[in-house]
Amino acid sequence: MGIGLALSGGGAKGIAHIGVLEALKDYGINIEYIAGTSSGSLIASLYAAGYTPNEMLRIINRYKDGIIDIDKGIGFKLFGSVLKKRVSIKGFVKGIKLERMIEYILKEKGVEDISDLSFPIAIPTVNLKTGEITYFSNVDIDKKDNIYEDRWCLIEENTNYEDEPKYIKGGKLSSIVRASCSVPGIFVPKRIKDDIYIDGGVRVNSPIDVLRKMGADKIIVVTFNCNKGNHLGIENVLGISSQAFNIMSHESNKDKVELADVNVKLCLNNVSLLDFSNSTDIAHRGYNIIARNIDKIKRSLNIKEEQGEF
């Protein structure tokens, strides 16, 4: 039993997770389980692979201008779709550069498959074919402890949509992270074997339940829930899609967030989905909120004062 950390998705806002991890380390709070959605899955994977928060920030600053590969042929595809009267566009961002970058960075730590990680980790995605939550992990997850176990419903024959999550042990980690980052309408979905996956935030932006199943008895979750009055970037299709996704993710996860022992809420309304230009400042915001509230956090986790570094 130990402390689990759930890192929510939020595009570039997810860089704040780096600061949170650094602050938790500085104040003597040891994380034993980690789960991350979307950009949170990237940070969780780097952490589980052995990268320090400072190394993560250097990686983000090094690659931030080359992570996003906008499909330059999108205009021609859109024009062709109009002529053919059939829309074939799957997303504005191909995601190839992101996946290759992750693969290269993880290879430096000798990691290719999620099972190569020794640190317990889980990454949620959503299967576009079935609509089910699919967790990829490197550990066996207790499926018996299921929040849907005591419920029943009438199911018509051949109904495919399942509310019970699916758990897959193993898988190429760069592909899994790429899948969890695939915001629908912005990123092209990721095919893994015979299935197609999109951003886990569609159904579980704050992966708290899975941490309980992995064995965590105390959970810290980092969320980005302060979008009220945020009009940043909604004058274009990418901004509109991003904001709509933020609203949907918040609404679908607000009940789950309350199950955590500590909810670290960050208001980063000035940071758009794909804006990595202020990475260092965003990471500092994550660090500072932990530092300002460390006493309260330790009380919530039942950690005695003498264990921390003040």
Side-chain angles (χ1 to χ4, degrees):
M1 303 296 279
I3 299 173
L5 179 64
L7 304 179
S8 303
K13 296 177 184 179
I15 298 168
H17 297 319
I18 296 174
V20 169
L21 284 165
E22 179 71 9
L24 292 175
K25 176 177 70 71
D26 286 350
Y27 287 98
I29 298 177
N30 297 317
I31 302 301
E32 298 181 43
Y33 307 87
I34 198 164
T37 302
S38 199
S39 57
S41 73
L42 171 59
I43 303 303
S45 297
L46 295 179
Y47 183 78
Y51 282 101
T52 67
N54 284 329
E55 289 173 334
M56 290 183 218
L57 187 57
R58 284 197 292 270
I59 289 170
I60 295 295
N61 285 328
R62 178 181 176 184
Y63 290 100
K64 62 184 179 182
D65 294 327
I67 295 176
I68 305 303
D69 47 355
I70 300 291
D71 188 348
K72 296 180 180 178
I74 198 75
F76 293 103
K77 291 178 182 178
L78 183 60
F79 182 68
S81 296
V82 173
L83 293 179
K84 296 177 182 178
K85 297 181 180 180
R86 181 171 59 88
V87 178
S88 59
I89 299 169
K90 297 179 180 179
F92 292 90
V93 180
K94 293 183 284 186
I96 298 172
K97 285 186 177 180
L98 174 63
E99 187 169 351
R100 287 177 178 171
M101 182 266 294
I102 298 168
E103 183 178 10
Y104 174 78
I105 293 168
L106 291 172
K107 191 174 290 186
E108 291 187 347
K109 294 289 187 179
V111 174
E112 181 177 359
D113 195 282
I114 193 171
S115 296
D116 295 331
L117 300 172
S118 57
F119 195 98
I121 184 174
I123 297 173
T125 62
V126 172
N127 188 319
L128 193 58
K129 291 182 178 179
T130 65
E132 67 187 357
I133 302 166
T134 301
Y135 288 100
F136 289 89
S137 183
N138 61 339
V139 297
D140 292 316
I141 296 174
D142 185 6
K143 300 173 186 177
K144 294 180 182 178
D145 182 20
N146 197 307
I147 61 173
Y148 306 106
E149 194 171 51
D150 296 329
R151 302 179 185 180
W152 65 276
C153 62
L154 300 175
I155 303 175
E156 186 178 4
E157 188 178 358
N158 296 324
T159 298
N160 292 322
Y161 193 90
E162 292 287 349
D163 271 333
E164 185 172 342
K166 181 178 180 181
Y167 303 95
I168 298 177
K169 187 177 180 181
K172 188 175 181 181
L173 187 51
S174 58
S175 297
I176 294 168
V177 174
R178 156 77 171 85
S180 190
C181 289
S182 298
V183 181
I186 297 179
F187 276 79
V188 174
K190 175 63 182 177
R191 179 179 290 275
I192 299 178
K193 294 184 179 179
D194 295 327
D195 289 305
I196 300 172
Y197 296 95
I198 56 175
D199 197 309
V202 170
R203 296 199 61 192
V204 56
N205 200 41
S206 302
I208 295 170
D209 290 344
V210 71
L211 288 170
R212 298 281 188 204
K213 294 174 184 291
M214 291 166 71
D217 58 346
K218 294 288 183 180
I219 293 177
I220 303 169
V221 62
V222 184
T223 61
F224 310 101
N225 292 336
C226 305
N227 284 308
K228 190 174 182 179
N230 178 21
H231 306 294
L232 185 65
I234 59 173
E235 68 278 358
N236 58 61
V237 65
L238 290 178
I240 293 169
S241 297
S242 172
Q243 180 67 350
F245 186 72
N246 287 337
I247 294 168
M248 179 191 68
S249 296
H250 168 64
E251 190 64 24
S252 64
N253 285 275
K254 61 183 181 181
D255 293 335
K256 292 182 181 295
V257 167
E258 294 177 0
L259 301 176
D261 299 279
V262 176
N263 182 6
V264 180
K265 275 189 179 182
L266 278 161
C267 299
L268 295 169
N269 286 345
N270 60 331
V271 180
S272 61
L273 183 75
L274 305 179
D275 180 12
F276 297 89
S277 59
N278 296 312
S279 300
T280 301
D281 178 64
I282 297 170
H284 285 163
R285 295 276 294 275
Y287 187 98
N288 290 337
I289 192 171
I290 298 296
R292 288 196 305 268
N293 297 281
I294 191 61
D295 291 340
K296 183 178 179 181
I297 291 170
K298 289 195 171 187
R299 284 195 300 271
S300 298
L301 298 174
N302 294 326
I303 297 176
K304 295 180 180 179
E305 184 174 325
E306 59 265 27
Q307 289 181 275
E309 300 174 11
F310 290 85

